[in-house]
Structure formats: C-alpha cells, structure tokens
Amino acid sequence: MREEEEEEEENNWFARWEEQLPSPEELMPLSQTLITPELALAFDINAAGAANGNLNPAHFPQAPAPPQPAACSHPAPPLSSDFESSASAAAGSGGADEPARTLKRPRLVWTPQLHKRFVDAVAHLGIKNAVPKTIMQLMSVDGLTRENVASHLQKYRLYLKRMQGLGTSGGGPISAADAATDQLFASAPVPHQFLSRGPAAGPEPFLPYVQTAPLQHPQQITAAMQQQQQQYYHQRHLGHFGSSTGGFDHGFLNRGMPQPAMHQMVGPPPGTGFLQLTPPPAALSVDDLEPARREDGGERKVLTLFPDR
DNA sequence: TTTCCAATAT
DNA sequence: AATATTGGAA
C-alpha cells in the first residue's frame, strides 16, 4: 500500500535525522519542565528550583534512575522519603548551597490518625501548656516540624472556639459549611476539657515522658494509614453532635497505639443513658468505603452517604 | 535568641 | 479548604 512512501522515507531520513535533532540546550528545559518539583523530591533529584523558574544551568546527566520503582505501585504518596539523608552532592565547587536545607518538603497531610495523636498530645499537656513545640515533641512523629504543628494548632483552636460557641446554650446547629469543613477535626474525639469555659482546665498532673510510640515519616504514615481511614468515616457519619448540651462522645479508645494512663477522663458516668458511639476496634471493622484521596495532585472525592448538602 | 501566634500567602 | 510562610510580640 504505502511501500513507496516508506521507501522514500528510508532514503531521506538518514540524511536529515541530524538536523531534526534538538540541541542539548533545547532538550534541557523540556526535560526539566517534565519533572515536577514533587517528582524531583520523590526521587531525590537535586533540582531545587526546577519549576520555580529558577533554573540553574547545571545540566544533570540524564534521566535519573528511580531509586525505588516500587513507589509507583502505591496508590499514594509521591513524597520524598528522606530529606535529611540526602546531603552531599553539589558541595564541591564554588559555593553551591546545600539542597538539603533549601529543599522544601512536601505538604504534610493531617490524616485522622495523625490528628488523633495531636489531640492526645494536647490533652495530656493541658491546653495551657500545649504549644507547638511541646506538642510536636510529645507526638514524636518523625519528620513532623514545629511549624506543621503550629499551623494545625492554629486551626484547631479556631475549631474549638466554634465548638464552644455552639456548646451548651442551645446554640444553633453547626452550619453545613462548618460541618463539611471540619471533617478532620470531627474525626477525633474532642476531650471535654477543651470545651470548658471558665477556669481553663489546668495542665495535666504529670507528664512523665513520651508515651506514644514514635511514628515514622509522614509519608509512610499516610501510606500505612490509608487502609485505616475507613473507620474514620464511620465515626464521622455516626454523628456525635446531637443537640445542645454539648452532646459529644467521649469515647476515648485507643486502638491505634498503646496508650498508658489517660487519667484525665472525666467523661460521662458509665451507665448514663449514653450511646456508645465508638465501639471497640473489633466491632468497627466493616465498611469498605473508599477513603477520600487527599494526596496525589488529583481530585479529592469524598464519599458522602448523607445527602445533607 | 527562640518560640508563639495571628495574619497572610499559596 | 488545607497547609505554609511571615512578621511582630513575648
């Protein structure tokens, strides 16, 4: 059929192949554009300003060999696995700055588990002593920075404030917007002491040492936790904001990790007609809802069982 | 000097 | 909306 054309091509391609080749200069920018900052981070590439418009003409050899292709099979985290360990490299000539310091780490995503740990830490510290640094230390999550905590704490305080406002005096219902907004915070039980007004609850009696088992890097956490996130949706939909009276559950169970003395429990007397909303771990195993994907620059699809908005 | 914290930026 | 960054204050 098209043999003639193909033959023509064969006659000519060799003569022209060279001129059609892009020059190295043309190639570089292209390849750099194709590597998103996140990818660069994930693969530990030293291309700090790649997408920042801050290209350093230092050509790197070629396509970087992915250290661990295994990461691709994972549904999620395109995040770097070791920011600190990847020093060296460009140290040699002419004052190249260390990428390790310049490198920006990926956004931390506060999974329900992580937030849970946060809340526990704050609870143990007492709200007065709960400042970012201390919280961070208590949480002892590898890779978690003080700023991470500070930022989260800031928002959490706002959340608590709102809760207080709506608290006892028959306040109106939580606006749909807020409810939708605060899914994360709703995922962890709010220690009642947080909502108390008057004389702020003092710091907990004693705080021996870090009680929580050190977690690993955020990425790993998120990865590992993807599976568990389901239960969080359960809790969420069981809905604990009843009506007035600050009808919140104080279900303070710790299924994730071992947790020593949680003494500050002042919860409702057992046997008070109170629905146990958070059954023991064994009970809530069901439900194979797909958790919202919060990572991978994709969209976040949040399954909604309730047509509430 | 470090840390907090509210405001602001992405 | 969620997290990061900033900048003044303690």
Side-chain angles (χ1 to χ4, degrees):
Chain A
M1 304 183 186
R2 315 177 49 180
E3 289 181 3
E4 294 187 24
E5 292 183 13
E6 286 184 3
E7 279 192 4
E8 282 239 327
E9 289 294 323
E10 291 232 330
N11 287 335
N12 295 330
W13 74 265
F14 185 81
R16 299 194 308 198
W17 76 273
E18 190 170 16
E19 25 181 287
Q20 295 185 359
L21 278 182
S23 67
E25 287 77 8
E26 291 173 302
L27 275 178
M28 284 325 289
L30 178 57
S31 63
Q32 285 182 341
T33 315
L34 288 177
I35 300 178
T36 72
E38 293 182 353
L39 261 178
L41 277 171
F43 291 80
D44 202 49
I45 301 172
N46 294 334
N52 222 350
N54 201 358
L55 306 176
N56 216 342
H59 311 164
F60 33 89
Q62 53 182 191
Q68 297 163 359
C72 298
S73 63
H74 270 248
L79 307 172
S80 87
S81 53
D82 43 7
F83 355 79
E84 15 189 323
S85 62
S86 65
S88 68
S93 52
D97 38 17
E98 302 218 2
R101 211 174 298 145
T102 313
L103 228 57
K104 64 174 186 194
R105 46 181 87 200
R107 270 170 88 105
L108 172 70
V109 18
W110 284 89
T111 64
Q113 280 72 20
L114 199 49
H115 175 65
K116 173 71 161 36
R117 201 166 188 126
F118 168 86
V119 172
D120 282 348
V122 175
H124 283 91
L125 286 170
I127 328 189
K128 288 152 71 176
N129 294 345
V131 295
K133 190 183 182 182
T134 321
I135 299 176
M136 180 193 83
Q137 290 170 343
L138 247 194
M139 291 179 68
S140 72
V141 171
D142 194 13
L144 186 67
T145 73
R146 187 170 53 85
E147 344 249 351
N148 287 142
V149 176
S151 183
H152 190 65
L153 178 61
Q154 183 178 3
K155 219 195 165 188
Y156 187 62
R157 280 170 173 159
L158 291 176
Y159 171 75
L160 289 183
K161 193 175 293 183
R162 288 210 310 263
M163 297 299 266
Q164 292 202 37
L166 305 171
T168 61
S169 42
I174 303 177
S175 79
D178 283 348
T181 296
D182 296 324
Q183 3 179 295
L184 210 209
F185 291 151
S187 72
V190 176
H192 73 292
Q193 43 177 148
F194 288 7
L195 299 178
S196 69
R197 296 133 165 270
E204 277 313 295
F206 53 105
L207 173 59
Y209 55 89
V210 182
Q211 89 294 4
T212 51
L215 264 49
Q216 310 123 348
H217 293 232
Q219 316 90 35
Q220 296 177 300
I221 293 173
T222 60
M225 290 198 289
Q226 290 270 318
Q227 315 161 1
Q228 307 185 18
Q229 287 202 342
Q230 343 176 41
Q231 30 178 252
Y232 135 69
Y233 278 88
H234 259 352
Q235 280 195 352
R236 178 164 133 57
H237 287 136
L238 286 182
H240 40 7
F241 12 73
S243 24
S244 48
T245 350
F248 294 21
D249 62 0
H250 298 63
F252 240 50
L253 59 151
N254 287 50
R255 40 194 197 270
M257 59 232 177
Q259 197 154 50
M262 301 268 308
H263 32 266
Q264 86 287 22
M265 273 281 294
V266 195
T272 315
F274 213 86
L275 183 56
Q276 178 67 297
L277 289 179
T278 49
L284 42 77
S285 51
V286 270
D287 160 284
D288 37 354
L289 289 182
E290 178 178 317
R293 293 171 152 260
R294 338 180 86 228
E295 4 205 309
D296 84 343
E299 65 219 287
R300 59 187 64 175
K301 46 171 69 172
V302 179
L303 297 187
T304 304
L305 295 180
F306 295 176
D308 54 15
R309 64 179 259 272

